[in-house]
Amino acid sequence: MRTVCRRGRWFPVFVSALLCFAAARADEPIVRTAEGQLRGAQLQDPAVYVFKGIHYGRSTEGAARFKPSTRVPRWSAVKDALKFGPVCPQAGEPGRRTTTAGEQLPISEDCLVLNVWTPSIEAGGNRPVMVWLHGRGFYAGAGSEPLYDGARLARRGDAVVVTINHRLNVFGYLHLVHLGGKQFASSGNVGVQDMQLALEWVRDNIAAFGGNPQNVTIFGESGGGVKVSTLLGVPAAKGLFHRAIIQSGARTRGMPAKTALSNAQTVMAKLGVTSTADLQAVPMEKLLAAVTTTGRTDPEFGPVVDETYLPRDMFEPVAAATARGIPIMVGSNKDEHAIYAREHPLMGKMTAAQLREDLLPSFGENTDALIAAYEESRPEATPWDLMVAIRSNRFHIGTIRLAEAAAKVAPVYVYSFDFEASPLKAAHGSEIAFVFSNATTSKDARQGAKAVEDAMSEAWIAFARTGNPNHQGLPSWPTYDAQNRATMVFDTKSMVVNDLRAPERKVWEGKELVR
């Protein structure tokens, strides 16, 4: 290991040397950001630098709650960036807050932190930057979860990988403009504004980590994919990223302001408060408990079409102007719903009659047509497989609908992850490890996993570098259009299929997607 000290353009060489000598340890690199110096660590396997828990925004507690955060003030001493920062307020199992080192991260409203993995911090780096937006909807999650470890992706792609935390649930999306006035005009979207603030930090600082601020890709899965979809419709975020990857999270619309206002009124009634000042004074734990009985929240929270920060739906009726010219890669997994159905009493052994009985309450008069279309599309599927596929409609058909709108204004590449990585087959979230080049580190990796990991990681890296996911390990992958509907199917042998599972697409035409 070696110490690397970076100095600013106008920072005197001898002062920089003195500071580095005084502050550096023999095995830890130091990088100078716009706010001050950070001490990170150098990993051996793979050989990358990592900087954890970097605060990009001030605390959001107290009087700052429900308001846009601002950049942290400058500091003089060298700050350690050796441990992940606090997790934003959320409910759910503690495992989400446990890192690979076994540390249990605290929950705090001072949680606007990010993490950086980079192969080199030498001057003159021109590496693509990949900013990951974590999943678990808008109710939970953190960039520090072990599944999102960016070391291998950074090393493999000679890229800079960034993961972030941002406000969630009631703290990030409580729409209070009608109750609190102009200073709360964007309160229904402060979680997205946190993401924007993190991207501004990337713009201003990532060159010090060897990255190119003019080549930034945002990518995310599930709720993270929805966050990517949302940022494509945010005028204030224009220019902060240059490509977008949406994994199992295509979303064409935001939450209507009327619904968001009703949610805010529900929360205030539960708490017995009548003003925004009262809401800001409620203890963090009490506010979270008012909307959470399980890991999820009731009511549901998410980005709001507030006519200011998010002025309109992102891809309905057409793509927002802010999405014009931004290359997009978007896709879903073949068996998305399997992860949610893993405790179903009929798991894997459903009959045709039980399939229809299971679907009727959700799909009503459309049930028989759906079953027929999915049977045509998947002739080898069991009734259980069909149930999973039909209940995955918002992922599969959502991908198509966003792709159709986006393809009119930008290059779009569509994929389907079909590799059965576990007993749950190609379930929701099962592609993440392959994207991050972490799938084959497990002794439980299935046969063929290496080929899928190589194909996917290299595609994500190529897209981040050039806006085109094609590479030597894949067959030619055309852009998506309404005529051919070319889709890359990632499996042990990846291939392009035109209009993949067409009967499913057709049976949903003109219908509202169902959860």
Side-chain angles (χ1 to χ4, degrees):
M1 292 186 178
R2 62 194 179 90
T3 298
V4 178
C5 238
R6 295 293 308 278
R7 60 179 181 271
R9 182 177 178 184
W10 306 111
F11 203 65
V13 173
F14 72 92
V15 175
S16 177
L18 286 173
L19 284 173
C20 287
F21 178 81
R25 301 170 188 170
D27 60 346
E28 293 172 345
I30 291 179
V31 164
R32 173 172 294 279
T33 70
E35 290 78 23
Q37 293 184 98
L38 292 167
R39 178 187 291 114
Q42 188 176 13
L43 305 179
Q44 290 296 303
D45 183 21
V48 296
Y49 298 97
V50 60
F51 296 79
K52 300 177 180 178
I54 303 169
H55 280 267
Y56 67 84
R58 297 175 188 252
S59 174
T60 61
E61 60 189 335
R65 189 183 282 172
F66 310 125
K67 295 179 181 178
S69 183
T70 55
R71 292 276 284 272
V72 297
R74 294 184 178 183
W75 61 83
S76 55
V78 178
K79 278 192 174 184
D80 281 342
L82 304 172
K83 293 184 177 181
F84 290 115
V87 172
C88 293
Q90 59 189 268
E93 69 271 13
R96 294 177 185 168
R97 308 197 303 273
T98 302
T99 70
T100 51
E103 57 189 329
Q104 186 76 48
L105 300 176
I107 285 181
S108 169
E109 288 184 77
D110 189 11
C111 62
L112 301 188
V113 296
L114 55 80
N115 316 293
V116 179
W117 289 264
T118 180
S120 173
I121 51 176
E122 297 292 346
N126 193 36
R127 295 171 179 83
V129 182
M130 302 178 72
V131 180
W132 175 258
L133 306 177
H134 68 73
R136 303 193 193 281
F138 291 89
Y139 63 90
S144 53
E145 293 187 46
L147 191 60
Y148 311 143
D149 187 292
R152 288 177 178 80
L153 180 60
R155 168 52 59 194
R156 176 174 202 144
D158 192 28
V160 181
V161 177
V162 180
T163 67
I164 72 172
N165 290 359
H166 52 80
R167 277 175 283 183
L168 300 161
N169 52 70
V170 67
F171 297 89
Y173 302 98
L174 196 64
H175 188 52
L176 299 170
V177 63
H178 297 88
L179 304 168
K182 289 185 178 180
Q183 62 177 323
F184 295 96
S186 62
S187 63
N189 286 307
V190 290
V192 182
Q193 286 182 302
D194 293 344
M195 301 172 213
Q196 178 189 330
L197 188 66
L199 289 169
E200 291 171 359
W201 184 96
V202 167
R203 176 196 62 198
D204 298 339
N205 288 303
I206 210 64
F209 297 84
N212 180 358
Q214 299 305 313
N215 188 7
V216 176
T217 296
I218 55 173
F219 68 132
E221 183 270 345
S222 191
V226 181
K227 294 161 195 173
V228 174
S229 302
T230 303
L231 282 166
L232 283 160
V234 173
K238 184 71 173 177
L240 294 175
F241 60 92
H242 312 92
R243 326 191 197 288
I245 304 174
I246 302 167
Q247 301 170 213
S248 302
R251 184 72 62 86
T252 57
R253 297 180 298 192
M255 179 178 288
K258 184 177 180 180
T259 302
L261 176 60
S262 175
N263 289 346
Q265 292 169 334
T266 297
V267 170
M268 296 184 78
K270 282 184 178 180
L271 291 166
V273 299
T274 57
S275 70
T276 51
D278 291 340
L279 273 172
Q280 290 173 322
V282 173
M284 177 188 77
E285 296 83 358
K286 184 177 180 181
L287 180 56
L288 187 62
V291 299
T292 309
T293 54
T294 63
R296 293 182 178 269
T297 58
D298 184 19
E300 183 178 352
F301 298 96
V304 180
V305 181
D306 58 9
E307 299 183 358
T308 53
Y309 186 75
L310 183 60
R312 47 152 291 186
D313 289 320
M314 301 83 71
F315 291 95
E316 288 190 28
V318 295
T322 45
R324 184 173 296 276
I326 305 292
I328 293 174
M329 187 158 67
V330 58
S332 61
N333 299 353
K334 178 173 65 70
D335 308 301
E336 295 276 3
H337 186 73
I339 194 74
Y340 304 109
R342 60 190 182 277
E343 295 182 3
H344 195 294
L346 298 175
M347 181 177 175
K349 55 184 179 182
M350 183 176 280
T351 66
Q354 289 168 330
L355 167 65
R356 189 173 188 277
E357 183 181 1
D358 185 277
L359 297 177
L360 268 172
S362 299
F363 302 99
E365 63 183 11
N366 295 318
T367 300
D368 291 332
L370 288 170
I371 292 173
Y374 279 71
E375 284 178 331
E376 179 185 355
S377 181
R378 307 179 190 222
E380 304 299 321
T382 67
W384 172 262
D385 295 335
L386 293 172
M387 186 278 291
V388 167
I390 292 170
R391 290 197 179 278
S392 300
N393 69 87
R394 72 184 191 275
F395 299 105
H396 301 156
I397 309 304
T399 290
I400 292 170
R401 291 182 179 178
L402 187 147
E404 288 177 344
K408 296 175 181 177
V409 299
V412 175
Y413 297 87
V414 173
Y415 75 88
S416 177
F417 178 77
D418 284 22
F419 181 67
E420 298 187 357
S422 77
L424 294 175
K425 300 187 177 182
H428 187 66
S430 59
E431 89 289 359
I432 297 173
F434 293 84
V435 168
F436 276 84
S437 273
N438 292 328
T440 54
T441 61
S442 169
K443 62 181 180 181
D444 299 323
R446 293 199 163 190
Q447 186 174 359
K450 175 82 166 55
V452 180
E453 180 175 279
D454 291 347
M456 292 194 76
S457 274
E458 293 294 340
W460 265 241
I461 291 162
F463 184 82
R465 193 172 297 280
T466 68
N468 185 325
N470 280 284
H471 62 85
Q472 289 186 347
L474 280 180
S476 178
W477 185 354
T479 55
Y480 187 90
D481 60 54
Q483 287 72 46
N484 294 316
R485 304 180 186 275
T487 301
M488 177 62 72
V489 179
F490 286 106
D491 209 335
T492 49
K493 183 178 180 181
S494 297
M495 65 183 72
V496 171
V497 178
N498 286 343
D499 206 0
L500 179 68
R501 296 187 271 271
E504 300 175 17
R505 173 183 61 80
K506 293 175 182 177
V507 78
W508 280 104
E509 287 179 350
K511 296 183 177 68
E512 188 76 14
L513 300 184
V514 179
R515 283 197 161 194

